[in-house]
Amino acid sequence: MPFNYVWLRDHCCDSYNSATQQRSLDTAAIDPTIRPRSAEVRHGSLVVTWPGGHVSRYSIKWLTENTFQQAKRRTVQPRVLWNADIYTNANIASAKWDTFMKSEDELKAFLQTYLLYGIAFVNDVPATVEATEALSRRVSLIRETTFGKMWCFTSDLSRGDTAYTNIALDRHTDTSYFHEPCGIQVFHCLKHEGTGGRTLLVDGFYAAEKLRQRAPENFELLTKVPITHKYIEKSKTHQNHIAGIGPVLSVYPWNNEVYQIRYNNYDRAAINTIPHDLVQRWYAAHRDLTTELRRPENELWVKLTPGRVIFIDNWRVLHGREAFTGMRQLCGCYLTRDDVLSAARCFGLQT
């Protein structure tokens, strides 16, 4: 295992405040030509003596876990990629409202399901905005957006968004027009007096991996080219012009693991960030991914009913709905992604 001398000095355990776990060493003050006076392996640790007499000790286990070679092989967040059959056959249990609001074990199991599959359900929730808010706060902080904190809507077109209608919605991720799209989407159907309205769910990472296997050049192009999404709203009560830029697929550069899909054909703006010689290729790649996302075997259809709340990883799972008739009222919110992952890490879960 090769180790850079400046890197070793920077990662000495004495470089961190033991109470806050924050770095106390001025990294920029390290001599870029620094070399150890001596180094030896002793009792399972690498012991390095630096000029001036400072001694650093690194366990071999810690060094192994923090090499680039190990990070390149390791998955940041383990996931179960799914199509409709894989998810259905997994027979994943939903959490129960009463237990969920009291039990740390139930919350941990819920978070593990959410991390693995990108969706998780809680049943027997009182069909009110207040109960849905309490449930959401049990998981994370509510993220306030232009739509507010908790929102409740019907097909009254009260906002300049297609969601506020009764027409079918194709699969998409929400708030793709934010520089940091919302991490978690919460839906609770409080009332529906009519027909239709089933919710469509598609694992975007499953489709992306299928594309990577079948057409790696198209997969790579979708990770390299940034495009713009916009939300423009002009009404008597709301004025918004929001724009966010990012690739359709985002990957960690060291291991090429997908960590975000930004897919919303409704909100995609004019494509002017792609050189002319790549435009045709980008459209072909986008069409290829869309083909994977629209395969019938990848579509999971669920009927949201009063009392059943769904949490959706908006960086991974696309959602949509079929057209509906009658009065249909939904409430929900967005949750902060970082705080959900923090809660999971505090339970010892890998994220």
Side-chain angles (χ1 to χ4, degrees):
M1 294 183 294
F3 293 100
N4 176 275
Y5 293 139
V6 176
W7 185 93
L8 282 171
R9 183 64 187 89
D10 186 46
H11 287 83
C12 173
C13 61
D14 292 340
S15 300
Y16 296 86
N17 183 304
S18 59
T20 65
Q21 301 302 311
Q22 292 176 301
R23 187 180 298 280
S24 56
L25 176 69
D26 181 3
T27 301
I30 301 173
D31 181 353
T33 65
I34 193 170
R35 296 180 65 86
R37 276 174 34 189
S38 65
E40 61 178 323
V41 175
R42 188 190 308 162
H43 306 302
S45 294
L46 173 65
V47 181
V48 178
T49 302
W50 301 101
H54 183 82
V55 178
S56 300
R57 292 176 174 82
Y58 316 85
S59 75
I60 300 300
K61 181 177 182 294
W62 185 89
L63 288 172
T64 302
E65 290 174 348
N66 287 280
T67 61
F68 174 77
Q69 291 84 352
Q70 183 68 14
K72 190 175 181 179
R73 291 191 295 264
R74 184 171 54 225
T75 299
V76 174
Q77 182 179 320
R79 297 179 174 92
V80 177
L81 304 185
W82 52 267
N83 59 14
D85 284 344
I86 292 172
Y87 183 86
T88 302
N89 293 334
N91 292 317
I92 303 162
S94 298
K96 302 291 186 182
W97 158 261
D98 288 337
T99 310
F100 184 80
M101 297 300 289
K102 302 172 185 175
S103 169
E104 294 298 287
D105 288 340
E106 187 83 344
L107 176 58
K108 179 180 179 180
F110 168 90
L111 289 170
Q112 181 65 88
T113 296
Y114 170 82
L115 292 173
L116 290 176
Y117 294 92
I119 55 174
F121 293 88
V122 181
N123 290 340
D124 304 328
V125 181
T128 66
V129 176
E130 292 75 19
T132 309
E133 179 176 1
L135 175 69
S136 300
R137 292 188 185 279
R138 172 75 169 134
V139 177
S140 182
L141 301 177
I142 294 175
R143 177 175 174 179
E144 186 169 10
T145 69
T146 184
F147 299 101
K149 288 188 176 180
M150 293 297 300
W151 32 258
C152 189
F153 70 92
T154 62
S155 53
D156 58 3
L157 205 57
S158 61
R159 300 298 301 268
D161 192 291
T162 315
Y164 289 72
T165 68
N166 63 353
I167 66 175
L169 294 178
D170 193 25
R171 62 225 73 199
H172 63 279
T173 56
D174 269 18
T175 62
S176 295
Y177 41 77
F178 286 174
H179 280 293
E180 183 188 2
C182 294
I184 289 86
Q185 170 94 62
V186 182
F187 280 129
H188 188 183
C189 182
L190 303 180
K191 181 190 299 184
H192 185 196
E193 299 168 350
T195 61
R198 290 182 304 162
T199 295
L200 168 64
L201 302 165
V202 178
D203 186 352
F205 290 1
Y206 179 90
E209 289 303 324
K210 290 296 184 182
L211 177 63
R212 190 204 307 251
Q213 295 166 14
R214 186 170 53 78
E217 68 288 348
N218 285 343
F219 173 91
E220 183 177 7
L221 186 62
L222 293 177
T223 69
K224 300 292 186 185
V225 177
I227 61 171
T228 304
H229 290 82
K230 288 185 178 181
Y231 177 61
I232 300 174
E233 183 180 24
K234 296 180 181 180
S235 69
K236 293 181 180 179
T237 55
H238 297 92
Q239 298 286 323
N240 284 291
H241 190 149
I242 306 171
I245 301 173
V248 175
L249 300 174
S250 294
V251 299
Y252 295 122
W254 60 89
N255 66 356
N256 220 26
E257 176 184 342
V258 180
Y259 68 85
Q260 183 185 29
I261 181 170
R262 189 190 295 248
Y263 184 99
N264 191 317
N265 208 49
Y266 298 104
D267 295 330
R268 185 164 47 77
I271 294 181
N272 54 17
T273 53
I274 306 176
H276 176 72
D277 59 340
L278 286 181
V279 170
Q280 190 71 21
R281 283 185 52 202
W282 186 90
Y283 275 109
H286 184 270
R287 182 185 179 90
D288 231 357
L289 176 62
T290 301
T291 297
E292 293 293 341
L293 291 169
R294 288 180 176 169
R295 292 191 189 281
E297 62 268 27
N298 294 340
E299 299 179 344
L300 179 67
W301 290 92
V302 297
K303 180 68 173 178
L304 296 182
T305 54
R308 191 182 194 198
V309 179
I310 185 173
F311 291 73
I312 304 171
D313 184 344
N314 187 54
W315 283 25
R316 170 183 174 181
V317 176
L318 288 70
H319 66 278
R321 67 154 186 251
E322 65 180 355
F324 64 90
T325 64
M327 170 64 175
R328 184 173 184 261
Q329 184 178 36
L330 265 73
C331 78
C333 60
Y334 297 115
L335 302 184
T336 58
R337 180 180 181 81
D338 287 332
D339 292 283
V340 172
L341 297 182
S342 173
R345 293 186 193 108
C346 289
F347 280 117
L349 302 176
Q350 184 178 343
T351 66

